[in-house]
């Protein structure tokens, strides 16, 4: 048996790919073996979904293949993870049992539309890549009526994305010449648009969507969906002709089975991204990293990437017998596209003192270019 340590990475998204690449860029294959396991063999930067809805992009042109990892001497296994055995330090997939020395769990969050009665039958899932083309076609064919965009659970991935979606849909309807005959209503369970960004930026986002005649309804907690009707927990109702939902998010089932998270929740971590188990780390959307009693690091690719770099640096330090000292810095930014060929950036520093700081830049064409570059860079650097 070779005694080359094995890093096993569950998930080929932002967190998994950032960790795999950072470790491999610093350690050769004779120093460490790296395996990435994912049940799909492609990676996509989440915000490309909105471009597919808009029709300026196809799914095929938005993905990178995880099979490309092989050329970096990173093994890729396209299989489902069936069990995580933390006691015996291995994982079980459909066909294999893989032992590990280091485990990085980067499996993301799972969309759970079934948690809302009636949603699957009566609404579309804004975050499901399989539904994007159908959403595009429905929007293209819409001549009049009511569009409801509804956030159905907190936390959810990429907090600004539903607002961007509303702005891009607004622009599609304007291009079709039907915007005046279509109402766009936005329903959120939160009291403000972006709780993680704080009240000031939430107000700026509210002003932005209101300026395009998008109506924001706060504190709307969903109970169920009927044909053309949303039912809220206070039993109020709202009608729609097309429902685009952001369904509740949960962790993958095996995370609960292995006891890493409580049912319905996510894996709790600190800034070192460690779990209570030796050499087992968790990053990204599958985790909850509390910032204050009421606030956690948002679920967004850029934070998964930052957490993954932290873990990678600590694993590299261990292999080189140095002290592990990296902590996640909590910094990141999210783009908000305006639907008018510009974008702004929300810049976040979750661990700044005395409280998290956020700022929103101006909406410019240059920031939209940066958004496109951000995607290109990730795909070319990781795959």
């Amino acid at each position: 048996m070779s005694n080359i340590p094995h890093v096993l990475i569950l998930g080929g998204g932002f967190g998994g790919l950032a960790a795999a690449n950072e470790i491999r860029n610093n350690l050769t294959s004779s120093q460490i073996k790296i395996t990435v396991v994912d049940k799909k063999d492609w990676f996509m930067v989440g915000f490309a979904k909105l471009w597919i809805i808009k029709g300026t992009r196809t799914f095929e042109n938005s993905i990178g293949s995880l099979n490309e990892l092989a050329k970096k001497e990173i093994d890729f296994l396209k299989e489902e993870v069936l069990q995580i055995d933390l006691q015996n330090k291995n994982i079980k997939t459909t066909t294999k049992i893989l032992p590990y020395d280091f485990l990085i769990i980067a499996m993301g969050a799972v969309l759970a539309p079934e948690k809302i009665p009636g949603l699957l039958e009566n609404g579309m899932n804004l975050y499901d890549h399989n539904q994007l083309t159908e959403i595009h076609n429905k929007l293209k064919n819409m001549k009049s009526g009511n569009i409801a965009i509804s956030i159905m659970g907190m936390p959810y991935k990429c907090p600004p994305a539903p607002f961007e979606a509303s702005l891009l849909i607004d622009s599609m309807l304007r291009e079709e010449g039907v915007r005046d005959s279509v109402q766009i209503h936005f329903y959120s369970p939160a009291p403000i648009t972006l709780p993680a960004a704080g009240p000031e930026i939430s107000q700026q986002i509210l002003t932005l969507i209101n300026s395009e005649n998008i109506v924001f309804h706060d504190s709307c907690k969903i109970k169920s969906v009927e044909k053309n009707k949303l039912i809220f927990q206070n039993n109020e109702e709202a009608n729609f002709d097309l429902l685009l939902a952001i369904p509740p998010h949960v962790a993958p089932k095996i995370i609960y089975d292995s006891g890493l998270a409580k049912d319905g929740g996510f894996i709790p971590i600190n800034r070192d991204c460690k779990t209570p188990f030796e050499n087992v780390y968790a990053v990204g959307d599958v985790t909850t990293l509390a910032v204050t009693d009421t606030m956690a690091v948002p679920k967004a690719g850029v934070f998964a990437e930052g957490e993954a770099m932290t873990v990678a640096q600590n694993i590299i330090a261990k292999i080189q017998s140095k002290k592990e000292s990296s902590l996640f810095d909590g910094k990141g930014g999210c783009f908000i596209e305006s639907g008018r060929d510009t974008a702004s950036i929300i810049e976040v520093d979750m661990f700044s003192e005395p409280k998290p700081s956020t700022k929103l830049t101006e909406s410019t064409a240059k920031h939209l270019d940066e958004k496109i570059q951000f995607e290109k860079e990730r795909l070319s650097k990781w795959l």
Side-chain angles (χ1 to χ4, degrees):
M1 260 301 274
S2 76
N3 49 5
I4 299 173
H6 184 205
V7 177
L8 189 52
I9 300 173
L10 308 184
F14 269 83
L17 292 177
N21 277 278
E22 179 69 6
I23 295 169
R24 180 52 78 229
N25 292 342
N26 287 277
L27 299 170
T28 65
S29 54
S30 61
Q31 290 172 293
I32 198 158
K33 176 176 162 65
I34 306 172
T35 308
V36 174
V37 183
D38 197 310
K39 63 176 191 288
K40 58 179 181 19
D41 60 3
W42 50 269
F43 165 71
M44 176 201 264
V45 174
F47 56 60
K49 290 178 183 168
L50 296 177
W51 296 337
I52 299 172
I53 288 173
K54 190 157 189 216
T56 52
R57 191 56 97 66
T58 63
F59 176 75
E60 291 67 40
N61 291 338
S62 304
I63 56 175
S65 167
L66 297 179
N67 297 306
E68 297 288 322
L69 289 167
K71 59 175 197 249
K72 304 189 170 192
E73 302 189 56
I74 296 168
D75 295 333
F76 171 62
L77 180 64
K78 183 190 171 195
E79 287 195 20
E80 191 160 358
V81 180
L82 301 179
Q83 193 187 358
I84 300 172
D85 185 341
L86 296 160
Q87 272 59 50
N88 298 307
K89 295 191 148 190
N90 64 45
I91 67 134
K92 193 178 188 176
T93 69
T94 327
T95 69
K96 293 180 173 55
I97 291 178
L98 299 171
Y100 63 81
D101 298 288
F102 299 92
L103 179 65
I104 303 174
I105 301 168
M107 297 181 75
V110 177
L111 304 173
E114 67 284 351
K115 278 185 141 29
I116 306 292
L119 172 56
L120 286 163
E121 301 77 36
N122 300 301
M124 305 290 297
N125 181 342
L126 189 64
Y127 276 22
D128 182 349
H129 68 271
N130 293 308
Q131 297 188 24
L132 303 175
T133 307
E134 193 182 341
I135 291 172
H136 169 80
N137 294 338
K138 284 191 148 97
L139 289 164
K140 276 296 220 203
N141 293 324
M142 198 151 183
K143 301 289 176 267
S144 65
N146 252 328
I147 297 175
I149 297 173
S150 173
I151 297 169
M152 297 192 168
M154 305 281 265
Y156 63 92
K157 292 192 278 196
C158 220
F163 299 95
E164 278 191 296
S166 70
L167 291 161
L168 288 174
I169 289 166
D170 163 76
S171 75
M172 282 176 74
L173 298 170
R174 267 190 282 118
E175 282 162 24
E176 296 291 320
V178 299
R179 179 63 179 97
D180 294 344
S181 321
V182 179
Q183 283 82 47
I184 304 177
H185 288 272
F186 194 114
Y187 301 92
S188 170
I192 54 179
T193 56
L194 271 189
E200 272 168 56
I201 286 177
S202 286
Q203 187 55 53
Q204 288 171 286
I205 290 170
L206 183 60
T207 305
L208 174 65
I209 63 171
N210 284 348
S211 72
E212 301 290 12
N213 256 336
I214 296 160
V215 187
F216 180 71
H217 305 266
D218 64 54
S219 311
C220 291
K221 295 182 162 65
I222 286 282
K223 184 156 90 178
S224 60
V225 184
E226 292 176 7
K227 190 168 162 49
N228 301 110
K229 195 188 289 183
L230 292 172
I231 318 273
F232 301 104
Q233 278 172 11
N234 61 2
N235 288 324
E236 286 187 14
E237 300 179 354
N239 293 324
F240 63 81
D241 296 294
L242 173 62
L243 169 60
L244 304 176
I246 298 87
H249 291 30
V250 294
K253 185 178 173 300
I254 60 156
I255 299 297
Y256 305 126
D257 296 346
S258 62
L260 282 160
K262 292 192 174 62
D263 212 7
F266 299 93
I267 302 174
I269 55 168
N270 296 321
R271 289 173 66 179
D272 58 10
C273 306
K274 291 177 173 171
T275 70
F277 299 87
E278 194 199 1
N279 293 341
V280 177
Y281 304 84
V283 300
D285 294 350
V286 76
T287 68
T288 296
L289 173 48
V291 180
T292 64
D293 293 345
T294 56
M295 189 184 283
V297 171
K299 294 193 183 303
V302 66
F303 296 113
E305 182 180 343
E307 290 165 359
M309 299 300 274
T310 301
V311 169
Q313 283 149 12
N314 284 329
I315 290 175
I316 293 161
K318 271 197 165 175
I319 300 287
Q320 295 172 337
S321 308
K322 295 180 183 144
K323 200 168 148 352
E324 303 170 71
S325 58
S326 297
L327 291 177
F328 173 52
D329 67 6
K331 294 190 170 94
C334 284
F335 297 92
I336 294 198
E337 219 171 308
S338 66
R340 295 191 181 268
D341 299 319
T342 61
S344 47
I345 304 174
I346 300 180
E347 291 164 352
V348 189
D349 181 347
M350 295 308 292
F351 296 110
S352 73
E353 295 295 343
K355 62 181 187 26
S357 79
T358 49
K359 62 179 211 276
L360 184 65
T361 68
E362 258 185 302
S363 204
T364 63
K366 182 172 170 285
H367 291 323
L368 184 54
D369 288 340
E370 286 168 18
K371 179 175 182 174
I372 295 160
Q373 274 315 113
F374 175 91
E375 178 196 35
K376 268 207 183 82
E377 253 169 44
R378 299 300 178 290
L379 287 165
S380 64
K381 148 173 108 177
W382 290 340
L383 300 168

